[in-house]
Amino acid sequence: MYCPSCSSDLIRFFGTGTQRIEEALTQLLPEARVLRMDVDTTRRKGAHEKLLNQFANQEADILLGTQMIAKGLDFENVTLVGVLTADSMLHLPDFRSSEKTFQLLTQVSGRGRRHELPGEVIVQDLYTGTLQVLTCQQVMIFCSFISRKCKCAKNFNTRHLCF
């Protein structure tokens, strides 16, 4: 990726930052107990498991994290899942980015709807309503998403989908 102004290759994507989001959450919800799980809080051996155990033991109300909390976790009391800047992965220079985004959103949306308590998923995108992957994922129309991807793959001669 290159800077459109100066053509420098010293450019990279930056997220919102879980630390900033944690600060905002504690200001908005001062009574909420927030656990942050990201590369900074899980560097030490055993930190990952410690944070997950704290959340499982209901020592926190909110588990805030990066993509690492999207997969493989199952907490029965989770009733709300929020995804911030869900479309940011779509701007990576990877022709599979929409498929990866769809898969990740599908996986994380299952976190808040697995058990008896009713769950809700809120997905924030920066370009509201303009991205097919988010529109398809919001209503879980897998066939529609795959159909669109197959047409795109055919048009660009990139047959990376198999049935």
Side-chain angles (χ1 to χ4, degrees):
M1 177 170 44
Y2 296 93
C3 174
S5 297
C6 68
S7 301
S8 171
D9 63 349
L10 302 174
I11 189 169
R12 65 176 241 209
F13 289 102
F14 289 96
T16 308
T18 51
Q19 282 182 302
R20 283 194 230 146
I21 295 167
E22 181 183 31
E23 290 169 9
L25 277 172
T26 55
Q27 285 182 338
L28 288 169
L29 306 166
E31 70 283 354
R33 299 168 298 161
V34 180
L35 274 179
R36 181 168 52 93
M37 192 168 176
D38 57 20
V39 71
D40 294 328
T41 62
T42 58
R43 281 183 207 268
R44 287 180 289 181
K45 185 177 182 177
H48 189 268
E49 292 80 14
K50 181 182 176 187
L51 289 169
L52 291 177
N53 286 334
Q54 286 178 301
F55 192 69
N57 294 330
Q58 298 181 9
E59 296 173 29
D61 305 304
I62 299 171
L63 178 60
L64 167 68
T66 58
Q67 292 180 27
M68 69 172 65
I69 65 170
K71 298 179 180 183
L73 302 179
D74 186 17
F75 300 109
E76 65 182 57
N77 292 323
V78 172
T79 57
L80 176 64
V81 173
V83 181
L84 302 178
T85 61
D87 56 344
S88 61
M89 283 180 44
L90 295 171
H91 304 293
L92 297 174
D94 182 350
F95 70 93
R96 295 171 304 232
S97 63
S98 61
E99 294 154 42
K100 291 177 180 180
T101 302
F102 182 85
Q103 184 272 336
L104 188 65
L105 289 175
T106 301
Q107 185 123 33
V108 76
S109 67
R111 302 291 144 238
R113 297 185 282 184
R114 286 191 166 185
H115 297 278
E116 293 184 25
L117 296 172
E120 186 175 356
V121 179
I122 299 172
V123 178
Q124 175 208 37
D125 64 334
L126 296 177
Y127 306 102
T128 306
T130 60
L131 300 170
Q132 292 178 1
V133 64
L134 296 174
T135 303
C136 289
Q137 202 287 323
Q138 286 169 353
V139 291
M140 293 300 297
I141 304 174
F142 183 74
C143 291
S144 174
F145 176 76
I146 292 299
S147 174
R148 290 178 187 180
K149 288 307 298 173
C150 286
K151 286 178 187 172
C152 184
K154 185 177 179 181
N155 289 340
F156 291 105
N157 200 25
T158 56
R159 307 210 190 291
H160 55 278
L161 297 171
C162 298
F163 296 97

